[in-house]
Amino acid sequence: MKEEKLLLWTLAAINFIHIVDFMILMPLGPQLMRIFDISPREFGLLVSSYTFSAGISSFFGAFFLDRFDRKKILLWVYVGFAISTFGCALSPTYPILLSARVLSGLFGGLTSALILAIIGDVIPDTRRGRAMGLVMAAFSVASVLGVPMGLFLASLSDWHMPFYILTGLSILSLGMIIRYVPNITEHLKNDIVRPNPMVVIRRVTGNQNQMRAITLSVMMMFGQFMIIPFLSPYTVANVGFSEMQLTYIYMAGGAFTIFTSPWVGKLSDKYGKLRIFTIFMILNVIPIAIITNLGVTPIPFVLMVSTMFFVTSNGRYVPAAAIITGTSKPENRGSFLSFNSAIQQLATGVASLIAGIIIGENAAGELTNFNVVGYIAIGFSLLCIPIARRVEIVS
């Protein structure tokens, strides 16, 4: 059990760095839009470039991840991730930063799939909800520590600084992978002829249960990532926060979800993953409806609503991740989760782009049509509930 805990903490650390690398760009949005003189649409492209490239790499990863020891492939992928994050730190212009984000996404997409595959291989279903809760708590820690600290460092220096810090943390986490992640080769011992890419695609697309799981992933991403990339720019431009005050949103939301994420994992194992998912998905639409219609608002009320948004968003993802992971067998889990991650990342990019097209900017510098984006996100979120009810866990 000690080895299992060390493994999970290592995966959580990797997830933390990966999430901060993706998330830090969004609260830096007001600075980047001002420094590079870019529009909401161009900022949306900057966010979606990461997810599009992550989706592409995850798609091709579906064809080879199950051919290797999980530890070895994770090491190679994470080395590439560290190098590309350093590239973001060195970027002097918008086009170069955009290119560096594409490279970061190529390796980041594979990281997500590998983390889920390792949990699925090592942790039995009876404890998988708790394991997911612990590893997904990295999102909370990223929100309460990583993102606010990144914003603080950026305010003291410039927006490059958070990426220098992330590069250093990536190098440290490589040591944790070497020490605490075991060689995972059980999926290689099965006497299976590895299929070619088209067979992998047909195997996933021909499995109705797995396609329902993928559809669930897509709907969840549309329900969230039409909102999240523009939350910071909207809060500054329309709600009246300063760029430094944005740290309050992430600190408050992250502080609560550090505790609620493992708690949701335990509830999922005890009362059923579908039941907990449904409850948190319904609760999640409340803060979406409020936060996308705010004008100038007192800070305490904004923090209350944004914290509810973080808690319920994380609460719906923990059981959903366990449900989706359980739709594949060990020998095919890496390829399925990579395929799912690819579609998920592409959906995230499309959601950000669509939101960027819908959202405008008036003469006063305020963002417009964010309420329209909110209503669309609520529609996608509610569609997740009937889809999740039709997904079956097979392992």
Side-chain angles (χ1 to χ4, degrees), residues 29-40:
Q31 292 185 48
L32 294 173
M33 290 173 71
R34 184 184 69 253
I35 292 169
F36 292 136
D37 191 25
I38 57 176
S39 66

Side-chain angles (χ1 to χ4, degrees), residues 371-386:
N371 60 326
V372 175
V373 171
Y375 299 140
I376 297 172
I378 288 173
F380 282 116
S381 296
L382 293 177
L383 280 174
C384 292
I385 297 174

Side-chain angles (χ1 to χ4, degrees), residues 319-378:
I323 291 171
I324 293 168
T325 300
T327 62
S328 58
K329 296 185 180 299
E331 60 269 21
N332 301 320
R333 184 170 285 132
S335 59
F336 166 70
L337 289 175
S338 186
F339 191 89
N340 177 72
S341 179
I343 303 301
Q344 189 179 75
Q345 298 282 1
L346 290 172
T348 300
V350 171
S352 300
L353 276 183
I354 292 175
I357 292 171
I358 295 174
I359 294 172
E361 191 173 9
N362 62 23
E366 296 177 335
L367 301 187
T368 58
N369 299 327
F370 198 40
N371 60 326
V372 175
V373 171
Y375 299 140
I376 297 172
I378 288 173

